[in-house]
Amino acid sequence: MLTKSHIKLITSLHQKKFRQQEQLFVVEGIKGVKEFLNSEFKLHLLFSTDAIFDAETILVSEKELQKISGLKSPNTAVAIFNIPTILPNAQEKKNSESNGLIVALDDVRDPGNLGTIIRLCDWFGIKNLVCSNATVDCYNSKVVQATMGSLARVDVQYTDLETYIKDYNHDVFGTFMDGHEIYSQNLPDCGMIVMGNEANGISESIEKLITKKLSVPKFGDLKATESLNVATATAIILSEFKRS
Amino acid sequence: MLTKSHIKLITSLHQKKFRQQEQLFVVEGIKGVKEFLNSEFKLHLLFSTDAIFDAETILVSEKELQKISGLKSPNTAVAIFNIPTILPNAQEKKNSESNGLIVALDDVRDPGNLGTIIRLCDWFGIKNLVCSNATVDCYNSKVVQATMGSLARVDVQYTDLETYIKDYNHDVFGTFMDGHEIYSQNLPDCGMIVMGNEANGISESIEKLITKKLSVPKFGDLKATESLNVATATAIILSEFKRS
């Protein structure tokens, strides 16, 4: 049965403060909930209008689901999962951090952009996403929604990005207007790709730590848009790194 | 001076019905307004807290701007432009339609996705975007906002997509799970790239008209996300067509 304290808890989890305090976050919709149930994330509570999940379910009416959903058109289920204290696949993470590609975000603020970038990391087999502390919280419900379940498979960590990069031993890539044209570069299997803030790009302090500047060439006339959205730029860059 | 009828007009333009009736649409923010002022679009009315535009401006207070803005944090200006009856560069459009790349959208419904795709077309020098009639209206304020001014440089037309493709003389590309891996294909300078609906992909009736099926390979483990967002997929595909 859905209780008042359930409603209060779910509502509170829309705020980062309470997500951190409770170490819980909300996942909505059949697909997203199933992805997290199949992952190493631990279920806290599951509310659904149907008993279709292989997990203990608190059955609710459509009207009750509406009350606890953050969506205009709620889709069957709202679940609460535990925020992992130790990242689910910590060993695998360490291995891939030293061997593979890492994406690092320098203050990406838009939840939709972060969610899309997590989904892209998942698609391109990138296990580790390192975020500056000012980057939007990946357990924000809009981010979780935009990842379409991919958050269950990509390790996201928040840290002081400058310190993190200083301790990193491979090439650090970033895109700049005056960088080397990405299409003609030999891109390695191992390295860090830094993506910048929506309005300001990569910050000055981080720019100093970039070892290889790249650019995505613009086609068409000179008046054309002077920047790509950070998520679409990430798509193009990851595709280039992986295609070769 | 901002009048009640101004407020009524701007508010009404949030609905497609009134945009079509009045043949007007709203642009917000300094950057977007400037891009449209520098384009072939015709200004109808311009409201701003500052006299910084090279156009007749109705000066308003911050409070008044808040009243007419659709944004949480309004940015200096709200303008109304005419929806062009004849597309701005009709001749150029005809030439590029027969010679260059065209992007066609089969029922893309999310305003953010359409806006991002228009911005991508602008970046990659694609002049023509053909939308099925069920695709979201490009003069929707969320679309205009997401294009960051690029709508001023890309011709968007709405039509019966099936008929349009049947009349088209070059290759028609679309991405499918079982398509040819895009990274190993020789992609032409001329052709149509069809992108599908967010939930359902390319519809059956349009799929029959696709002459070359492509796929964007997925990396990493098998459990990975089974689809890319339509805007990020468009980014990768346009990058592949243009990079060669």
Side-chain angles (χ1 to χ4, degrees):
Chain A
M1 200 185 84
L2 182 74
T3 66
K4 273 189 187 167
S5 72
H6 288 147
I7 298 173
K8 200 178 155 193
L9 173 64
I10 296 169
T11 310
S12 79
L13 297 177
H14 287 127
Q15 288 178 59
K16 186 176 173 181
K17 186 175 82 176
F18 293 108
R19 285 196 298 273
Q20 289 186 329
Q21 191 177 297
E22 305 290 338
Q23 286 293 294
L24 295 170
F25 70 102
V26 175
V27 181
E28 291 211 35
I30 297 178
K31 187 174 148 42
V33 170
K34 281 194 175 165
E35 301 259 16
F36 277 94
L37 287 175
N38 286 329
S39 75
E40 298 183 49
F41 281 82
K42 212 176 138 242
L43 180 68
H44 181 70
L45 286 170
L46 170 58
F47 307 90
S48 176
T49 51
D50 289 308
I52 50 173
F53 299 97
D54 190 17
E56 194 181 328
T57 307
I58 298 167
L59 288 175
V60 295
S61 66
E62 293 276 350
K63 209 172 161 183
E64 285 173 325
L65 190 74
Q66 186 81 53
K67 262 187 203 160
I68 54 175
S69 171
L71 304 176
K72 269 187 201 160
S73 314
N75 177 6
T76 312
V78 171
I80 305 176
F81 285 88
N82 288 280
I83 293 178
T85 39
I86 302 162
L87 289 160
N89 42 351
Q91 191 50 48
E92 194 182 333
K93 172 179 163 301
K94 276 205 193 91
N95 292 343
S96 57
E97 265 190 35
S98 53
N99 291 320
L101 288 173
I102 301 178
V103 173
L105 303 183
D106 184 13
D107 300 4
V108 166
R109 301 295 174 95
D110 181 79
N113 284 339
L114 177 56
T116 305
I117 291 170
I118 292 171
R119 198 171 161 193
L120 282 166
C121 285
D122 188 28
W123 181 271
F124 284 109
I126 288 163
K127 292 269 184 296
N128 299 295
L129 181 63
V130 181
C131 300
S132 66
N133 288 315
T135 293
V136 59
D137 178 25
C138 69
Y139 297 109
N140 173 312
S141 62
K142 282 182 195 162
V143 177
V144 176
Q145 205 62 32
T147 71
M148 304 288 280
S150 292
L151 182 59
R153 288 180 299 267
V154 177
D155 280 344
V156 185
Q157 60 174 303
Y158 288 79
T159 187
D160 182 275
L161 195 58
E162 211 176 319
T163 311
Y164 187 92
I165 298 178
K166 279 178 181 164
D167 288 343
Y168 184 75
N169 295 319
H170 304 285
D171 268 326
V172 182
F173 297 86
T175 47
F176 298 88
M177 299 293 271
D178 62 346
H180 299 284
E181 204 209 88
I182 192 167
Y183 298 137
S184 58
Q185 300 301 302
N186 250 329
L187 301 169
D189 295 335
C190 179
M192 188 191 297
I193 302 162
V194 182
M195 302 302 300
N197 170 268
E198 286 87 349
N200 308 313
I202 292 173
S203 57
E204 272 181 48
S205 60
I206 300 294
E207 183 174 349
K208 285 177 192 151
L209 307 171
I210 301 286
T211 58
K212 302 237 166 155
K213 288 192 178 185
L214 301 172
S215 71
V216 178
K218 182 167 62 179
F219 297 81
D221 64 20
L222 292 173
K223 288 195 298 177
T225 184
E226 82 276 18
S227 72
L228 285 167
N229 164 281
V230 63
T232 52
T234 305
I236 295 166
I237 294 164
L238 292 184
S239 176
E240 279 302 310
F241 268 84
K242 286 292 189 172
R243 77 190 296 284
S244 53
Chain B
M1 201 185 83
L2 182 73
T3 66
K4 274 189 185 165
S5 73
H6 289 146
I7 298 173
K8 199 178 154 193
L9 173 64
I10 295 168
T11 311
S12 77
L13 296 177
H14 288 126
Q15 287 178 59
K16 187 176 173 182
K17 185 175 80 174
F18 292 109
R19 287 195 297 275
Q20 290 186 327
Q21 191 177 298
E22 304 290 337
Q23 286 293 295
L24 296 170
F25 70 103
V26 175
V27 180
E28 292 212 36
I30 297 178
K31 188 174 147 39
V33 170
K34 280 192 176 166
E35 300 258 15
F36 277 95
L37 287 175
N38 286 328
S39 75
E40 298 183 50
F41 281 82
K42 213 177 137 239
L43 180 69
H44 182 70
L45 286 169
L46 170 57
F47 307 90
S48 177
T49 51
D50 289 308
I52 51 172
F53 298 96
D54 191 18
E56 195 181 328
T57 306
I58 297 167
L59 288 174
V60 296
S61 66
E62 292 277 351
K63 208 173 161 183
E64 285 173 326
L65 189 73
Q66 186 81 56
K67 260 187 207 163
I68 53 174
S69 172
L71 304 175
K72 269 187 199 161
S73 315
N75 176 7
T76 312
V78 171
I80 304 175
F81 285 87
N82 288 282
I83 293 177
T85 39
I86 302 162
L87 290 160
N89 44 352
Q91 190 50 48
E92 195 182 332
K93 171 179 161 300
K94 276 205 192 90
N95 292 343
S96 57
E97 266 190 37
S98 52
N99 290 319
L101 288 173
I102 300 177
V103 172
L105 302 182
D106 184 14
D107 299 6
V108 167
R109 300 295 174 97
D110 180 79
N113 284 340
L114 177 57
T116 305
I117 292 170
I118 292 171
R119 199 170 160 193
L120 282 165
C121 285
D122 187 29
W123 181 272
F124 284 109
I126 287 163
K127 293 271 186 296
N128 299 296
L129 181 62
V130 180
C131 301
S132 66
N133 288 317
T135 293
V136 58
D137 178 26
C138 69
Y139 296 109
N140 173 313
S141 62
K142 283 183 194 160
V143 177
V144 176
Q145 206 62 32
T147 71
M148 302 288 279
S150 291
L151 181 58
R153 288 180 300 268
V154 177
D155 281 343
V156 185
Q157 61 174 300
Y158 288 78
T159 187
D160 182 90
L161 195 56
E162 211 177 319
T163 310
Y164 187 92
I165 299 178
K166 280 179 180 163
D167 287 344
Y168 184 74
N169 295 319
H170 304 286
D171 268 328
V172 182
F173 297 85
T175 47
F176 298 86
M177 301 293 270
D178 63 345
H180 299 283
E181 204 208 89
I182 191 167
Y183 299 137
S184 59
Q185 300 302 301
N186 251 330
L187 301 169
D189 296 334
C190 180
M192 186 190 298
I193 301 161
V194 181
M195 302 302 300
N197 171 267
E198 286 87 350
N200 308 314
I202 292 173
S203 57
E204 272 181 50
S205 59
I206 300 293
E207 183 175 349
K208 285 179 193 150
L209 305 172
I210 301 286
T211 58
K212 301 235 167 156
K213 288 191 178 186
L214 301 172
S215 71
V216 178
K218 182 166 62 177
F219 296 82
D221 62 19
L222 291 174
K223 287 195 298 176
T225 182
E226 84 277 15
S227 72
L228 285 166
N229 162 282
V230 62
T232 53
T234 305
I236 294 165
I237 294 164
L238 291 184
S239 177
E240 279 302 310
F241 268 86
K242 286 291 189 171
R243 78 191 293 284
S244 52

